[in-house]
Amino acid sequence: MDLVLEYVVRGAHGVFFSAAGDFIWLPIAMVFIGVLLGIVIGAVPGLNGPFAMALSLPILISTFGVSNAALLPILGFLIGVMKGATVGGAVPAILFNTPGTPDAYLTTLDGYPMAKNGQAMKALKIAHFSSAAGDTFSDIVLFLTAPVLAVFIERILDLPEKSALIILSLSFMAAVSGSSAIKGLIVGVLGMLLALMGSTLSGNGPRMTFGIIALGNGLPVTSAVLGVLVISEVFMGIEQSARDRLSRVAALENPLSGDNSFGLKDIRAIMPRVCTSAVIGTIVGALPGIGTTLAATLGYESARRLSKHPQKFGTGVPEGVAATEAANSAVSGANLIPVLSLGIPGNFAAVFLILAVESVGDFTLGPSLFRFTEIKNVEGYGMIINKDLVTCFSIFTLMVLGNVFNWTIGSWFLRSLGVLARIPKSVMLPVVLLITFTAVYAQDGGFVAIWIVLVFGTVGYVLRKLNVSILPFVIGFILSPKLEELVRGAYSASGGDSFFMLKSPLALAFLMIAVAIMVLAGRRKPHRVP
Amino acid sequence: MTSSTDHRRWTPNPWDIGFGVVTLAASLVALFFWFPHDIKGGFVEINLAGRLEPGDAFFPVLLTTTMVILSVVQLLSVALTRTQQEPDTTIGKLTPANLRFLLLFYSVVLAGLAVMYWLGPLTTALLRGLGIIDQSYRELLDTAPYKYLGYVGGGFVMTAGLITWAEGKVRPRAILTVVIVLFLSLLIFGILLKNIQLPPNADF
């Protein structure tokens, strides 16, 4: 226990003090700015946390570099954005009945009627409290379960099992996140294949480049991911705006005429729903690929069923706002459980945290992260310590800081952002396009990055139009190098056995579950991808 | 009033078939034509110790073979499962309207990028021709206002063009927003963040 505590203290110390013992403000300031920016971004219809994380990452890398010292400020900012955005999404939903994201639609069901009844401020306060509570609960679960899960995985999984686990995760994501599991898996494999362009592991020179010299170093990951995620969304949004000529949303006449107080009595009333939704959101968040929409739906539905007056839901019930916001915010912390324990991103926000970790410093995610190596000084060698574990506890500290900022300034800041929620998508999305171009150009240093963003944006647009989820594509793209390394290692270790993946009972079980998931998902009726 | 259910029919979705055919064909082309010409290492190789180890083609071939299998499954599942489909739905397919949108979108964006790339060099060439300056654009890359010309001009054309198209009218407030965003971008990327090069300057 002392050893665990020592790692925790060293991790926290790393956020506030430099190696020389001087106080450093940068990581704290970056979390603070990140939270504020996240709330702002969340409050603008059509934008969300992963958008801001995607745009910030290249700029942060260009500004801070890729040394170990840059890792905590960059991660601090991204974590702050992730946390702030979960809170900010409620603003347009409550004030203007404009859900910026699919899960925020459920906030509009009771939030907007509350605003129409003159209780806009109360609805925002409830949304903030529930969102911050759900997020904090989810973080605590992350802190407690990720190390245990990682240690467990590290003990029982070898190369074939880890490979099979990634295949299982991708199959699960394909099954739950799109209209068709098979199509989802096909684009997941396609993403993996594209990620191999320009790479080599045998020293024979870059592969799959079509002879294009610019691809010799591989496709720039950030540009490719930004293209599929952000630019395809810009395509969709501008197309919709051009079609619908959506420009303005109607403002409420007097949103503050009713009872806008929020005290202990209100907290006691909503707390049972917040707790139930926080648990639901955390469970959903721990499973890769499901996302906030299902969490919000389940949270809202459970609150309605458990309520003594379910018929009032949809007419401006505080519990409705609380349940939705607690559930969708509880997803964000739990989503990092598979990231930290397996190195597998479960949603788009996690993708950008992984990209940051892979681009900056020598920190490595995955089961080996939580190896509690005994800390000792060896003469002539130096200190023996698991530096990655210390960094991991620094990341946990940054998350706690993010929660503190969210609880303290979040509510006040949130309530002052009503004006942002009136910025139309038709103005915001072209601006996002310009900032994306600027960001990737700054990171990759040339127009090639802009062409790659546009090509991948078109791929993302076509997939969305074909009702195929882009999540497996992005996750496949990110995980491909890791899976290749594991599969090659497993094959080599088996001595060239063609059935190397099927010899381990556990790996076989994972693969069979993956097949079963695909078969079961194949029987499901197709639905529209949100 | 007729309900939409009356128009539904049980037919395979041609876009689902097309998806399977395209991915199957692309996978086969990759396996038999692309990889043999574009991957120098083999599927497996024998290393110096005489042990069998995976070559550079190992993982791409595994992935592409998986894609072949999945594409066949996709085609079989479409053939065996009759999908209830509304004939007039736009979900799950690309329509001519989508292609027209892409064409227009790319026209505006490429026009903006062309202005971004050429405005600086053309302006300096013109000023040089008139004898107002002596240096080329390359020599003025670090000098204001030349280093901002392309970014501001191209950024304005692109964002104002897209907003005007999306809204169907020119709104002074939207144009003002573009100007403010460009000003803030210059402030952040061009002045506060010293080690960032704005487009198109890294290409010269």
Side-chain angles (χ1 to χ4, degrees), chain B residues 2 26 32 35 57-58 64 68-69 109 112 129 135 152 154 162 168 170 179-180:
Chain B
T2 320
F32 295 107
F35 293 167
F58 184 79
T64 315
V68 169
I69 296 166
V109 169
Q135 302 99 318
V152 172
L162 287 174
V170 183
V179 172
I180 293 169

Side-chain angles (χ1 to χ4, degrees), chain A residues 58-59 61-65 180 182-183 185-187 189-190 192-194 196-197 199-211 231 234-236 238-239 241-243 245-248 423-424 426-428 430-431 433-435 437-439 441-442 445-448 450-451 454-455 457-458 461-468 480-481 483-484 487-489 491-496 500 518 522 525-526 528, chain B residues 13 15-16 19-20 23 30 34-35 38-45 51-64 66-67 70-75 77 81 83-84 90-95 97-99 101-102 105-106 109-110 113-114 116-117 151 154-156 158-160 162-169 171 173-174 177-178 181-182 185 188-189 193 195-204:
Chain A
I59 299 165
I61 291 175
S62 304
T63 308
F64 291 104
S180 155
I182 292 290
K183 285 200 272 186
L185 199 54
I186 289 174
V187 298
V189 176
L190 180 67
M192 285 193 169
L193 209 51
L194 291 178
L196 301 179
M197 291 175 89
S199 64
T200 177
L201 290 174
S202 307
N204 288 317
R207 57 188 162 170
M208 301 155 63
T209 60
F210 297 104
I231 299 302
V234 171
F235 277 48
M236 298 287 286
I238 292 178
E239 185 182 35
S241 296
R243 197 176 53 230
R245 302 286 185 223
L246 287 174
S247 59
R248 280 166 189 250
I423 300 176
S426 51
V427 172
M428 275 318 299
V431 169
L433 183 74
L434 178 67
I435 297 173
F437 285 170
T438 314
Y441 190 92
F447 261 92
V448 175
I450 293 178
W451 304 135
L454 280 172
V455 168
T458 310
Y461 172 80
V462 171
L463 290 179
R464 283 171 191 261
K465 282 288 163 194
L466 295 179
N467 207 19
V468 180
S480 184
L483 183 61
E484 179 173 29
V487 168
R488 286 171 65 104
Y491 181 78
S492 298
S494 73
F500 66 102
M518 295 305 291
K525 279 185 178 177
R528 189 168 189 176
Chain B
N13 182 349
W15 285 89
D16 284 342
F19 187 87
T23 51
W34 183 23
F35 293 167
D38 211 2
I39 299 179
K40 293 191 187 81
F43 183 71
V44 286
E45 291 162 356
R51 292 188 59 179
L52 208 59
E53 67 173 21
D56 263 354
F58 184 79
F59 194 55
V61 167
L62 282 186
L63 287 178
T64 315
T66 308
M67 267 185 77
L70 290 172
S71 303
V72 171
V73 173
Q74 162 72 9
L75 287 171
S77 69
T81 316
T83 314
Q84 197 176 30
T90 55
I91 302 166
K93 61 182 178 186
L94 274 173
T95 62
N98 299 142
L99 297 177
F101 160 76
L102 276 180
F105 183 91
Y106 266 103
V109 169
L110 292 180
L113 290 175
M116 197 177 275
Y117 190 85
Y151 182 74
F156 183 82
M158 191 162 56
T159 44
L162 287 174
I163 291 170
T164 305
W165 172 37
E167 297 190 339
K169 59 186 174 188
R171 269 198 313 134
R173 190 180 284 188
T177 311
V178 171
V181 166
L182 282 168
S185 295
I188 295 168
F189 298 116
L193 304 176
N195 51 350
I196 282 182
Q197 265 193 311
L198 287 169
N201 298 338
D203 286 87
F204 287 91

Side-chain angles (χ1 to χ4, degrees), chain A residues 107-373:
Chain A
T107 307
T108 64
L109 295 183
D110 282 287
Y112 188 64
M114 278 184 81
K116 279 208 294 191
N117 297 337
Q119 293 182 298
M121 207 50 80
K122 183 168 188 156
L124 284 176
K125 286 173 186 172
I126 290 172
H128 170 262
F129 176 85
S130 313
S131 186
D135 191 16
T136 306
F137 174 80
S138 179
D139 282 357
I140 293 168
V141 174
L142 164 74
F143 300 161
L144 296 176
T145 56
V148 177
L149 188 64
V151 169
F152 177 69
I153 288 165
E154 183 68 351
R155 280 204 188 139
I156 62 165
L157 302 191
D158 205 352
L159 297 174
E161 293 86 0
K162 284 177 185 166
S163 309
L165 188 60
I166 289 182
I167 293 167
L168 170 60
S169 303
L170 199 68
S171 307
F172 186 72
M173 275 180 236
V176 297
S177 67
S179 66
S180 155
I182 292 290
K183 285 200 272 186
L185 199 54
I186 289 174
V187 298
V189 176
L190 180 67
M192 285 193 169
L193 209 51
L194 291 178
L196 301 179
M197 291 175 89
S199 64
T200 177
L201 290 174
S202 307
N204 288 317
R207 57 188 162 170
M208 301 155 63
T209 60
F210 297 104
I212 300 169
I213 295 166
L215 294 177
N217 289 327
L219 289 166
V221 182
T222 313
S223 300
V225 173
L226 247 76
V228 179
L229 285 186
V230 178
I231 299 302
S232 68
E233 185 66 43
V234 171
F235 277 48
M236 298 287 286
I238 292 178
E239 185 182 35
Q240 193 198 353
S241 296
R243 197 176 53 230
D244 302 344
R245 302 286 185 223
L246 287 174
S247 59
R248 280 166 189 250
V249 281
L252 292 167
E253 279 182 12
N254 197 353
L256 302 177
S257 58
D259 170 24
N260 280 289
S261 62
F262 181 64
L264 272 176
K265 192 181 156 203
D266 299 294
I267 292 175
R268 265 203 302 276
I270 61 168
M271 211 53 203
R273 305 295 160 255
V274 170
C275 292
T276 316
S277 285
V279 173
I280 290 171
T282 303
I283 293 169
V284 170
L287 299 170
I290 298 185
T292 51
T293 308
L294 180 66
T297 310
L298 293 177
Y300 187 81
E301 224 11 69
S302 72
R304 201 171 61 82
R305 281 166 193 266
L306 293 170
S307 171
K308 288 175 188 160
H309 43 81
Q311 73 284 357
K312 285 189 179 170
F313 273 65
T315 60
V317 180
E319 290 98 309
V321 176
T324 311
E325 286 299 312
N328 66 29
S329 296
V331 170
S332 75
N335 251 311
L336 298 188
I337 295 174
V339 174
L340 291 173
S341 55
L342 301 167
I344 298 173
N347 68 356
F348 292 134
V351 162
F352 292 105
L353 290 180
I354 287 205
L355 278 183
V357 164
E358 284 182 355
S359 311
V360 182
D362 53 13
F363 176 64
T364 311
L365 292 162
S368 60
L369 182 63
F370 290 97
R371 206 175 279 155
F372 283 87
T373 311

